[in-house]
Amino acid sequence: MAQGSGDQRAVGIADPEESSPNMIVYRKIEDIITKMQDDKTGGVPIRTVKSFLSKIPSVVTGTDIVQWLMKNLSIEDPVEAIHLGSLIAAQGYIFPISDHVLTMKDDGTFYRFQAPYFWPSNCWEPENTDYAIYLCKRTMQNKARLELADYEAENLARLQRAFARKWEFIFMQAEAQVKIDRKKDKTERKILDSQERAFWDVHRPVPGCVNTTEMDIRKCRRLKNPQKVKKSVYGVTEESQSQSPVHIPSQPIRKTTKEDIQKQITFLNAQIDRHCLKMSKVAESLIAYTEQYVEYDPLITPAEPSNPWISDDITLWDIEMSKEPSQQRVKRWGFSFDEVLKDQVGRDQFRRFLESEFSSENLRFWLAVQDLKKQPLQDVAKRVEEIWQEFLAPGAPSAINLDSHSYEITSQNVKDGGRYTFEDAQEHIYKLMKSDSYARFLRSNAYQDLLLAKKKPESEPGRRTSLEKFTRSVGR
């Protein structure tokens, strides 16, 4: 193929399969395109548009195309006309000059008609050598106007490695085509360059866009025999891709409102704040959690005196619920703040510590809010008022320390009290206790003494623990 040689860019039909379904569709599209370009029968006005420093030749707007389709094909719905225009553009008959996405937009976007030489009905399939010549030629031309995109530069590098032995031939072909193109008029060369680029947008689409030429009758037959599928230089099978829908057209059903923009901003902010972890980090956290709690799982670690899940003995549960916590139980409080809060004895010990620091109102407020969520509906309003007066109202006897934002939200919520009126305030107090009071509780003498007291009987020889005495009494 020699797209760069202008004389060869004429209509050329290479044995088309006139009876194939694809060819019938192509002929119907080409009839529409021919009428659309015919000025005598009321075609789409093709004009040259003046820009700031140059002229844009032979362009039409998306609005003109959509209106022509509605008028000449008796289409009443603009969305249907846009969809039809996008189907035509996806095959490369019409293309936008500003980007590589072959869709139709009902606005002032400039489009250009493809030269008949590049129409799909000509039935010639471009090869990777043709694509390599095209990309190589682009590197020799005006860098500002025809600079390679990132994906094109990557493709050129792959092709250069794949055709290392043929690269001298490819380079000479590209150089010859550039010399021929330079003899042409500047306006004509600009149009031909855009048409050639649109051709490759169809056959080597931008990453993320589907290749609408991948499925035809001949390729469907090849797909039935996977042994005949060839691999391309890109590392993927060219002829084994499944059929994809054509480019999805943009359908401006209504104008974007301020509320739509605000919703989009809110959504994007939520995505930015979303906490993402690598799979390796998640696995490490899961392993660490499992190792930390393995001795507390009676199904993994044999329990003493017996496992109540596989026996009728519930003594282990009685020991865990007793007022005298075991060493394991006290040690578990140091794992996380939640372990303290969900253990009745742990909460009592933590409350005593807070009382020594004159901040027990934080824990009492948190527990009161937790209890509020379980109250019957008829008692909620009364309980909300009681919590407000005790902890948050001006001059409250057990005032808690809230930031201004949480206090303002809670003040508004109290006017229409519910079970979750104090949600923001409770979360603030929870974080305050977790980051400040809990760390000091673990370092306090009260917790350290309790932990050592549970270790001491087990470390002194000749002295039996209560668990050993219980075990011996049961064995008699």
Side-chain angles (χ1 to χ4, degrees):
M1 185 190 77
Q3 293 95 331
S5 57
D7 296 337
Q8 295 181 17
R9 292 181 183 179
V11 180
I13 300 178
D15 189 24
E17 298 178 5
E18 295 289 347
S19 60
S20 69
N22 280 358
M23 198 56 57
I24 295 173
V25 173
Y26 289 152
R27 292 308 181 196
K28 289 181 179 180
I29 295 177
E30 288 162 11
D31 289 342
I32 296 175
I33 294 298
T34 302
K35 294 178 182 178
M36 200 178 293
Q37 298 181 79
D38 190 354
D39 294 335
K40 297 180 181 179
T41 58
V44 179
I46 302 174
R47 54 185 180 272
T48 299
V49 180
K50 294 182 179 180
S51 63
F52 180 62
L53 295 174
S54 61
K55 295 181 180 180
I56 306 176
S58 303
V59 293
V60 296
T61 64
T63 301
D64 292 338
I65 296 175
V66 172
Q67 290 179 353
W68 189 92
L69 292 172
M70 294 178 66
K71 178 180 178 181
N72 291 270
L73 300 182
S74 301
I75 301 175
E76 297 180 358
D77 189 359
V79 175
E80 184 179 349
I82 295 171
H83 179 62
L84 177 59
S86 294
L87 293 175
I88 296 174
Q91 301 296 330
Y93 289 97
I94 307 172
F95 60 90
I97 65 172
S98 57
D99 56 42
H100 301 276
V101 182
L102 301 177
T103 58
M104 180 60 61
K105 300 177 182 177
D106 188 9
D107 54 20
T109 302
F110 290 129
Y111 291 82
R112 191 169 281 150
F113 290 101
Q114 183 60 281
Y117 175 79
F118 294 118
W119 283 356
S121 61
N122 291 333
C123 285
W124 57 276
E125 283 191 44
E127 298 178 354
N128 287 325
T129 52
D130 302 322
Y131 190 43
I133 293 172
Y134 163 72
L135 293 177
C136 188
K137 182 176 65 175
R138 285 268 302 279
T139 62
M140 302 176 186
Q141 294 174 331
N142 190 327
K143 295 291 180 16
R145 185 166 57 87
L146 296 170
E147 185 178 2
L148 294 181
D150 291 341
Y151 78 97
E152 291 177 323
E154 293 174 2
N155 289 343
L156 179 60
R158 293 192 188 100
L159 289 167
Q160 190 170 2
R161 290 193 299 269
F163 298 121
R165 297 181 180 179
K166 295 182 180 180
W167 195 251
E168 185 177 356
F169 164 77
I170 291 173
F171 185 85
M172 292 175 58
Q173 287 288 321
E175 196 173 32
Q177 291 185 18
V178 168
K179 289 180 180 179
I180 295 174
D181 285 347
R182 285 174 180 169
K183 297 178 182 179
K184 296 183 179 297
D185 179 69
K186 182 178 180 181
T187 301
E188 182 185 1
R189 188 168 67 246
K190 182 183 290 188
I191 296 174
L192 291 174
D193 287 339
S194 67
Q195 291 172 337
E196 189 174 11
R197 187 164 187 172
F199 170 82
W200 288 110
D201 285 340
V202 174
H203 293 274
R204 297 292 188 276
V206 179
C209 296
V210 297
N211 190 336
T212 55
T213 64
E214 273 303 315
M215 297 301 292
D216 61 14
I217 297 300
R218 290 169 296 172
K219 289 189 177 182
C220 286
R221 286 199 297 266
R222 288 196 206 114
L223 289 177
K224 294 180 181 179
N225 189 352
Q227 264 65 18
K228 293 185 179 181
V229 175
K230 298 184 295 182
K231 287 191 176 182
S232 73
V233 296
Y234 307 109
V236 296
T237 55
E238 290 181 347
E239 301 168 351
S240 63
Q241 297 179 7
S242 60
Q243 185 174 12
S244 301
V246 296
H247 300 286
I248 300 174
S250 58
Q251 301 179 357
I253 300 176
R254 61 183 180 85
K255 293 183 178 179
T256 303
T257 62
K258 183 179 178 181
E259 289 75 14
D260 295 333
I261 299 298
Q262 189 62 43
K263 289 180 180 178
Q264 187 176 8
I265 292 173
T266 304
F267 172 77
L268 293 176
N269 285 334
Q271 295 301 309
I272 291 174
D273 296 335
R274 186 177 177 184
H275 187 59
C276 298
L277 287 176
K278 292 183 178 179
M279 199 62 197
S280 59
K281 296 293 183 183
V282 175
E284 290 176 5
S285 299
L286 182 59
I287 292 173
Y289 177 87
T290 305
E291 291 175 347
Q292 187 178 45
Y293 285 89
V294 65
E295 59 179 311
Y296 298 92
D297 190 339
L299 297 178
I300 299 177
T301 303
E304 294 182 357
S306 63
N307 187 346
W309 294 103
I310 59 177
S311 67
D312 295 332
D313 188 2
I314 61 172
T315 306
L316 178 65
W317 290 341
D318 293 337
I319 294 175
E320 289 296 320
M321 295 302 295
S322 66
K323 297 287 185 177
E324 293 291 332
S326 62
Q327 179 192 348
Q328 276 191 330
R329 195 165 161 189
V330 176
K331 181 182 175 182
R332 188 167 177 168
W333 298 346
F335 291 171
S336 68
F337 185 46
D338 291 328
E339 294 291 346
V340 176
L341 293 179
K342 70 183 183 182
D343 191 323
Q344 177 64 46
V345 180
R347 288 199 303 268
D348 292 340
Q349 293 293 333
F350 185 59
R351 178 179 54 78
R352 293 193 186 101
F353 169 75
L354 293 179
E355 287 174 351
S356 67
E357 291 195 336
F358 305 100
S359 58
S360 62
E361 65 276 0
N362 289 334
L363 180 60
R364 289 190 286 111
F365 170 76
W366 189 88
L367 293 173
V369 175
Q370 286 293 99
D371 182 67
L372 172 65
K373 298 174 184 178
K374 305 172 186 177
Q375 292 292 323
L377 188 59
Q378 62 270 19
D379 299 336
V380 169
K382 178 182 176 182
R383 186 59 183 144
V384 166
E385 183 63 25
E386 291 175 352
I387 295 175
W388 172 262
Q389 292 299 329
E390 182 179 359
F391 297 101
L392 293 166
S398 302
I400 59 175
N401 186 17
L402 277 186
D403 63 289
S404 58
H405 179 69
S406 299
Y407 187 85
E408 183 179 353
I409 294 177
T410 306
S411 301
Q412 295 296 326
N413 293 342
V414 168
K415 297 177 182 179
D416 186 19
R419 289 193 177 98
Y420 300 93
T421 298
F422 302 101
E423 192 74 13
D424 288 275
Q426 185 189 34
E427 182 179 0
H428 177 80
I429 293 299
Y430 174 87
K431 291 179 179 178
L432 183 65
M433 292 190 295
K434 180 180 179 180
S435 61
D436 185 30
S437 303
Y438 173 64
R440 291 201 306 274
F441 168 68
L442 296 181
R443 296 193 302 267
S444 67
N445 294 332
Y447 177 75
Q448 295 297 330
D449 291 344
L450 191 60
L451 190 61
L452 292 174
K454 296 302 173 184
K455 288 183 178 180
K456 187 175 180 181
E458 299 174 5
S459 60
E460 291 183 359
R463 189 172 180 180
R464 296 177 182 174
T465 63
S466 58
L467 183 59
E468 290 174 341
K469 293 179 181 179
F470 175 81
T471 306
R472 289 180 178 275
S473 64
V474 173
R476 291 179 180 176

